[in-house]
Amino acid sequence: MELPVIDLAPYLAIADAGNRGSESTKRVSGLTELCHEVSRLLKETGALLVKDPRCTAEDNDRFIDMMEKYFEKPAEFKRLQERPFLHYQVGVTPEGVEVPRSLVDEEMQEKLRAMPKEHQPLTPKGPDPKWRYMWRVGPRPSKTRFQELNSEPVIPEGFPEWKETMDSWGYKMISAIEAVAEMAAIGFGLPKDAFTSLMKQGPHLLAPTGSDLKRYGQEGTVFAGYHYDLNFLTIHGRSRFPGLNIWLRNGQKIEVKVPIGCLLIQTGKQIEWLTAGECTAGMHEVVVTKRTINAIKLASEQNRSLWRVSSTLFAHIASDAVLKPLGHFAESPLASKYPSICTGEFVEQELSVINLKGNKGES
């Protein structure tokens, strides 16, 4: 199965004009259908491919070029940006720290054993052998009960372009998430800003991963074990090496192919909470597949970097906002499974399950 690509340009044209009334009824009607398609895909697949004219392939390449250069640095250099006392919420997280939920969650392990063999994820042998860099994107709240989730960023020496590159790509991806969040809200029959109003001053994290394919490039290696993301929505630019598998709502496992110039969006646990399970947090893994091996061979022939960089951003609901089923979702028979909770408390509870707050969103 191939995920369809949603072009955000028509929606952005009307949103930017700020004057829906001046558009033809036919065009607005078509946009309503597009919004319904966005909400349907998030509900049924937990994933969405989008094309946003504000996020170009060149932007993605510029970001990945810089991150390849960083991850290729020696481990002792990278560890200078490590902040374990802040639960790795900023700076670098070395390989061997992030623990996939499937390794520690017994209930999840039972579900995995019950899956048909062809749809089962690969079993990780321990913590993920990938590095990650956490970069806070967007304004911080002036007052918050969750200061550690809103810490100052860390900039490595020797990268004068770091802040501008990280902020530029981060803001562009958040803009794409906000457009999708508005469209999903409309599609679900909620006010347009139902989700985006809760995202304001959220602890959004640009969190690229780096996986050393020269060292760990054997087929079957698990870089990110089977897990869901605890945040609202996760967005990725196209990686230069394939290997992301996702599970649809029906349990089917598919390897994602992101077209050039497109972005992948996945549902996290916070949107599951806000929709009382209408959307569920999408399960996924990153592994070395046959397609990864082919990409490694090509990159080697072309003398390119063998670090697999994912340009991942975790978009969050604001830490001090309340997570609860919104609008008509509060009347859902499943709403009682999603009691009201402060988002920051929810995040801390989720993190406590996986390596004592060592993870941020896992992806």
Side-chain angles (χ1 to χ4, degrees):
M1 174 189 169
E2 299 282 332
L3 293 173
V5 176
I6 302 290
D7 187 355
L8 302 184
Y11 179 80
L12 294 172
I14 285 186
D16 289 345
N19 186 8
R20 291 174 181 271
S22 66
E23 300 293 333
S24 71
T25 306
K26 184 179 178 184
R27 190 171 174 198
V28 172
S29 172
L31 281 179
T32 303
E33 289 168 16
L34 193 62
C35 292
H36 281 298
E37 179 69 355
V38 166
S39 60
R40 182 189 71 79
L41 286 167
L42 291 176
K43 174 186 173 181
E44 293 179 8
T45 69
L48 193 63
L49 286 170
V50 300
K51 190 167 183 60
D52 187 326
R54 301 167 299 181
C55 303
T56 66
E58 291 74 26
D59 292 328
N60 190 45
D61 284 341
R62 179 175 169 235
F63 176 80
I64 289 180
D65 286 346
M66 186 184 76
M67 293 313 304
E68 284 178 348
K69 184 179 159 191
Y70 173 78
F71 285 125
E72 283 168 355
K73 294 282 187 186
E76 55 268 25
F77 171 85
K78 289 181 285 199
R79 284 187 179 274
L80 295 174
Q81 290 83 53
E82 188 180 3
R83 300 292 185 271
F85 55 90
L86 291 173
H87 310 306
Y88 299 101
Q89 289 292 312
V90 291
V92 79
T93 305
E95 63 180 59
V97 172
E98 293 192 7
V99 178
R101 197 177 193 108
S102 55
L103 209 60
V104 295
D105 189 326
E106 291 180 8
E107 186 181 339
M108 186 180 284
Q109 289 167 4
E110 279 183 35
K111 288 179 182 175
L112 300 188
R113 286 191 287 270
M115 283 181 176
K117 271 274 188 252
E118 67 271 21
H119 296 310
Q120 285 183 3
L122 293 180
T123 305
K125 294 177 172 59
D128 294 336
K130 69 176 186 295
W131 292 73
R132 188 192 291 282
Y133 207 99
M134 305 298 282
W135 181 262
R136 181 83 168 74
V137 177
R140 294 165 180 73
S142 54
K143 290 183 180 178
T144 175
R145 290 167 50 203
F146 304 94
Q147 205 60 52
E148 68 198 33
L149 298 180
N150 298 280
S151 308
E152 289 299 319
V154 179
I155 301 175
E157 282 187 30
F159 288 82
E161 75 279 30
W162 187 272
K163 185 177 189 305
E164 195 275 329
T165 303
M166 298 294 265
D167 285 345
S168 171
W169 187 232
Y171 276 109
K172 286 182 179 188
M173 290 208 291
I174 283 179
S175 295
I177 288 256
E178 287 173 341
V180 167
E182 286 185 357
M183 294 172 78
I186 293 167
F188 283 130
L190 299 171
K192 183 181 85 165
D193 67 347
F195 298 130
T196 53
S197 61
L198 296 173
M199 289 173 60
K200 283 185 172 56
Q201 298 192 331
H204 312 305
L205 288 165
L206 180 56
T209 61
S211 306
D212 187 355
L213 294 170
K214 193 180 292 184
R215 188 175 171 197
Y216 300 111
Q218 303 77 30
E219 187 176 350
T221 299
V222 181
F223 283 121
Y226 180 83
H227 67 281
Y228 62 77
D229 293 343
L230 62 85
N231 52 297
F232 172 59
L233 291 172
T234 301
I235 186 167
H236 314 263
R238 185 176 187 268
S239 175
R240 290 171 178 167
F241 297 91
L244 175 66
N245 293 323
I246 67 169
W247 277 258
L248 306 183
R249 186 99 180 225
N250 63 8
Q252 181 187 354
K253 173 183 176 179
I254 62 170
E255 187 173 0
V256 178
K257 298 172 185 174
V258 180
I260 292 172
C262 291
L263 302 161
L264 173 70
I265 291 176
Q266 294 173 278
T267 50
K269 201 68 177 176
Q270 290 171 8
I271 194 172
E272 178 176 331
W273 217 270
L274 296 170
T275 62
E278 184 81 359
C279 292
T280 55
M283 305 305 298
H284 50 284
E285 68 179 359
V286 178
V287 299
V288 177
T289 65
K290 285 185 171 59
R291 288 180 63 233
T292 319
I293 299 290
N294 292 337
I296 291 171
K297 287 176 183 170
L298 182 61
S300 298
E301 290 165 7
Q302 296 176 347
N303 201 28
R304 289 190 286 107
S305 174
L306 293 182
W307 277 84
R308 181 191 187 276
V309 173
S310 75
S311 54
T312 302
L313 182 138
F314 299 121
H316 279 261
I317 298 304
S319 303
D320 296 280
V322 175
L323 269 188
K324 62 180 180 180
L326 299 177
H328 61 86
F329 291 120
E331 308 303 316
S332 162
L334 297 177
S336 61
K337 286 181 62 180
Y338 302 95
S340 295
I341 182 171
C342 184
T343 307
E345 289 174 16
F346 167 80
V347 169
E348 289 181 343
Q349 283 179 19
E350 287 282 311
L351 292 177
S352 68
V353 176
I354 23 182
N355 202 32
L356 301 175
K357 301 188 181 179
N359 280 20
K360 287 67 55 175
E362 292 197 297
S363 187

